Amino acid sequence: MEFSGHGEGQRLSVSTVQRIWRAFGFQPHRLETFKLSTDPSFVAKVRDVVGLYVSPPAHAIVLCVDEKSQIQALDRSQPMLPMRPGQPARRSHDYKRHGTTSLFAALDIATGRVIGKCYGRHRAAEFRKFLDEIEAAVPGELDVHLVNYATHKTPLIRKWLAKRPRWHVHLTPTRSSWLNQVERFFALLTDKKIRRGVYRSVAALRADIARSSNDITQIPSRSGGPSQPMTSLHPSNASAVTMPRYNTTRCCELLVQDTSSAAA
């Protein structure tokens, strides 16, 4: 490797270049991406949402609501090969697509419980139906604080919310879906099940979403006895997806630190 210095070429060995890169932490083979929110009310919105996480209002429930749209029902061209000593599980690169489904979910920030339902499409009409599910699930004496970004902006949803004074919408900043903690539910469901599944129909995909959610809702008993499955926000809703509790304390502490730094 050559470079110009004081008018004449210099040669450095590969090992020298590697030592320099290592000493300064250079990694020229890596490239990462970043995204900045352009929302002028970024700090105010983050503080509002994080405030709900850290100190939710009395006689109220805080729900993080969002959708995971276009979940594909993929059938692999060959059976998956199981994990072996020294070798991870493997799947074929090519697949056959059998349709999609969209999952709406609401995470109760205080308990970690999630209620969810799959729909064929992800329009405002489906979101309104999902809001009806939540309305029926939450006791009437509680206010509902909804953390959401875009779906509520349609006239249909605005009209629905206007008729229900106990509902309060809190906006996440533009390009800041990471602030909505239901995204952790979607990530867990994707990593643990959807990416590893083989589905020959949308019905099979929906059934597996519900079944896999039930499989991981076992909470260890403090007394050392058998673990008990969690219930959804509305136990009578057989189509509801239930998930385990989430410890949000550390996440909220980090968010408070980040927003304090941004405001400084």
Side-chain angles (χ1 to χ4, degrees), residues 21-172:
W21 286 353
R22 191 179 303 113
F24 289 93
F26 291 153
Q27 297 178 327
H29 62 286
R30 299 184 60 184
L31 179 63
E32 296 181 350
T33 62
F34 68 94
K35 181 168 62 176
L36 296 176
S37 175
T38 57
D39 196 321
S41 303
F42 175 81
V43 172
K45 290 181 179 179
V46 170
R47 284 180 170 173
D48 177 42
V49 173
V50 175
L52 288 174
Y53 293 165
V54 176
S55 182
H59 308 294
I61 184 172
V62 179
L63 298 176
C64 295
V65 178
D66 209 342
E67 61 177 329
K68 183 174 177 62
S69 60
Q70 300 295 308
I71 306 175
Q72 300 184 83
L74 302 180
D75 182 15
R76 300 292 165 179
S77 60
Q78 299 292 331
M80 290 188 63
L81 301 178
M83 178 178 60
R84 301 173 58 184
Q87 191 174 72
R90 292 171 293 168
R91 64 185 182 189
S92 61
H93 176 73
D94 50 333
Y95 56 85
K96 183 177 181 180
R97 179 178 170 183
H98 293 282
T100 64
T101 189
S102 295
L103 172 64
F104 287 92
L107 168 68
D108 180 354
I109 199 64
T111 66
R113 291 184 174 90
V114 174
I115 182 172
K117 194 167 185 179
C118 290
Y119 294 90
R121 305 179 69 176
H122 57 102
R123 304 167 301 175
E126 284 73 29
F127 184 59
R128 201 214 66 165
K129 293 178 182 178
F130 183 62
L131 291 179
D132 289 336
E133 297 274 349
I134 300 175
E135 175 74 2
V138 178
E141 65 272 14
L142 296 179
D143 281 357
V144 180
H145 290 263
L146 189 71
V147 178
N148 187 256
Y149 167 55
T151 316
H152 68 277
K153 293 183 178 180
T154 62
L156 177 64
I157 303 303
R158 287 176 178 266
K159 183 178 179 180
W160 190 94
L161 292 171
K163 294 180 179 179
R164 292 162 178 82
R166 72 168 180 151
W167 284 68
H168 311 274
V169 177
H170 301 262
L171 309 179
T172 56

Side-chain angles (χ1 to χ4, degrees), residues 249-259:
T249 303
R250 180 54 180 163
C251 180
C252 292
E253 291 175 351
L254 293 175
L255 289 173
V256 171
Q257 293 175 7
D258 291 344
T259 54

Side-chain angles (χ1 to χ4, degrees), residues 180-237:
N180 193 332
Q181 292 208 13
V182 77
E183 298 296 336
R184 290 306 312 145
F185 160 71
F186 292 145
L188 181 61
L189 184 64
T190 300
D191 293 339
K192 296 292 185 180
K193 198 61 183 177
I194 295 176
R195 286 178 180 167
R196 298 173 180 269
V198 176
Y199 309 105
R200 295 179 174 85
S201 67
V202 172
L205 171 61
R206 291 183 176 181
D208 200 33
I209 289 175
R211 181 170 54 251
S212 61
S213 298
N214 291 331
D215 290 343
I216 59 177
T217 54
Q218 300 297 317
I219 303 176
S221 172
R222 294 183 179 179
S223 62
S227 59
Q228 299 294 326
M230 287 188 61
T231 58
S232 66
L233 292 175
H234 190 19
S236 63
N237 186 356

